[in-house]
Amino acid sequence: MTTLIEIIGWAAALLILASYLLVSTGRLSGTSVTFQWMNVIGAAGFILNSGWHGALPSAVLNVAWAGIGIFTLLRLRHGGQAA
């Protein structure tokens, strides 16, 4: 189980890093659905990994990170401005 949790944590890190790289290089918009989903899924992986390791500050940060992404996705879905 520990190996699976580590794989999820590393995949989450790569996903969030990739989303940041894509926004920074102009390949994605910060308000794009793809960017938001990459961050929500990455944050979910970090929540699992951080929680498993007892790193509560990181887990709480990523709950907020995922919440912001979900909020933005809902606004985008309903035709509102993301930010």
Side-chain angles (χ1 to χ4, degrees), residues 36-37 39-44 47 59-75 82:
Q36 297 301 325
W37 273 115
N39 278 281
V40 168
I41 293 168
I47 292 165
V60 170
L61 170 68
N62 282 286
V63 167
W65 192 280
I68 291 166
I70 291 167
F71 176 77
T72 302
L73 285 165
L74 290 171
R75 287 189 67 188

Side-chain angles (χ1 to χ4, degrees), residues 24-51:
S24 296
T25 58
R27 294 182 177 256
L28 279 180
S29 163
T31 58
S32 72
V33 171
T34 301
F35 175 74
Q36 297 301 325
W37 273 115
M38 289 174 79
N39 278 281
V40 168
I41 293 168
F46 275 149
I47 292 165
L48 182 64
N49 184 274
S50 299

